[in-house]
Amino acid sequence: VGNTGTILKYNGTTWSSQESGTVQNLKDVFTLDSNNVWAVGNTGTILKYNGTTWSLQSSGTTQYLYGVSALDANNVWAVGMFGNILKYNGTTWSSQSSGTTETLWGVSSLDANNVWAVGNTGTIRKYNGTTWSSQSSGTTEDLNSVSALDANNVWAVGENGTILKYNGTTWSSQESGIVIALQNVFALDANNVWAVGNTGTILKYNGTTWSSQESGTVQNLKDVFTLDSNNVWAVGNTGTILKYNG
């Protein structure tokens, strides 16, 4: 997804455009299954794909939304400006109290009692199934993305090469080796975690250390998704799409 309502779909061979029905900039997309895909973006835009068409869902807000994550068809979260957190129950979107006014850039849902949201000035919020509460990140850097593998393995990335890992109790810093902004992170398993960022930056975690991978581009990379260790996609500015084959 991208600016002016752009949505592209890959069929295993080629990418093709899909009609979104909006001209709003879209900031994030999450696929639960082929009939349940959500995209969020500017002015509170939320779209859902039912396997055939995209349709607009009422968000109840005009605030920009930057991240979306679905646990199942009845548990979907979206986050955005001024600490906005919305939850979808399968029928309607409603606001949840985040306890912060910081902009939230990313969200990751592990189960109904473990959902993380991250944002500006090192903000990390965790949902326990009832309420959102603060977790100490140990940084004031803006955090742009979070990916939860399990309750003891959660990663967050952000400005100036910031990488944090949660071990089930505390968040601690991991050495990235760079000072470039990291925009997104995705954990496949404990030994295969990718982070992408500005000027074509791609980092991979092998369970012990983070190392750089050659991307072949200098474009800012905005998102990364891993299907398996041989199928990893990264997307970014000017329509950049990269695929890693292992």
Side-chain angles (χ1 to χ4, degrees):
V1 299
N3 289 356
T4 62
T6 298
I7 299 179
L8 302 178
K9 181 178 181 289
Y10 185 66
N11 65 0
T13 306
T14 58
W15 289 89
S16 59
S17 178
Q18 291 191 319
E19 178 57 45
S20 69
T22 184
V23 295
Q24 296 294 332
N25 293 349
L26 300 174
K27 300 297 188 181
D28 197 21
V29 61
F30 189 93
T31 303
L32 182 64
D33 57 50
S34 59
N35 299 320
N36 289 279
V37 187
W38 287 266
V40 300
N42 289 7
T43 65
T45 299
I46 300 179
L47 304 175
K48 183 179 183 293
Y49 183 69
N50 64 2
T52 306
T53 58
W54 287 90
S55 57
L56 189 68
Q57 293 190 320
S58 176
S59 68
T61 184
T62 57
Q63 300 296 342
Y64 287 21
L65 299 171
Y66 297 120
V68 61
S69 180
L71 178 62
D72 55 47
N74 301 319
N75 289 277
V76 188
W77 287 266
V79 301
M81 289 183 72
F82 306 122
N84 258 294
I85 298 180
L86 305 177
K87 183 178 182 292
Y88 184 66
N89 64 2
T91 306
T92 58
W93 288 89
S94 58
S95 178
Q96 292 188 321
S97 176
S98 68
T100 183
T101 57
E102 296 288 352
T103 290
L104 299 171
W105 295 103
V107 60
S108 182
S109 55
L110 179 63
D111 56 50
N113 301 319
N114 288 280
V115 186
W116 285 266
V118 300
N120 285 356
T121 65
T123 298
I124 299 179
R125 312 297 293 181
K126 181 180 181 292
Y127 185 66
N128 64 2
T130 306
T131 59
W132 289 89
S133 59
S134 177
Q135 290 190 322
S136 176
S137 67
T139 185
T140 58
E141 297 287 354
D142 292 350
L143 300 174
N144 297 321
S145 177
V146 59
S147 180
L149 177 63
D150 56 50
N152 300 319
N153 289 278
V154 187
W155 285 265
V157 301
E159 299 302 299
N160 292 307
T162 300
I163 301 178
L164 307 177
K165 183 179 182 290
Y166 183 67
N167 64 3
T169 307
T170 58
W171 287 90
S172 58
S173 178
Q174 292 190 320
E175 179 59 47
S176 69
I178 62 171
V179 292
I180 295 167
L182 294 171
Q183 303 292 352
N184 203 267
V185 61
F186 190 92
L188 173 64
D189 57 48
N191 301 319
N192 289 279
V193 187
W194 280 267
V196 300
N198 290 357
T199 64
T201 298
I202 299 178
L203 302 179
K204 183 179 181 290
Y205 184 68
N206 65 2
T208 307
T209 57
W210 288 90
S211 58
S212 178
Q213 291 190 321
E214 178 59 44
S215 69
T217 185
V218 294
Q219 296 296 329
N220 293 349
L221 299 175
K222 299 294 189 179
D223 206 352
V224 60
F225 180 82
T226 304
L227 184 62
D228 56 50
S229 59
N230 299 321
N231 289 278
V232 186
W233 287 266
V235 299
N237 287 3
T238 68
T240 299
I241 301 177
L242 307 175
K243 183 177 183 289
Y244 180 69
N245 64 4

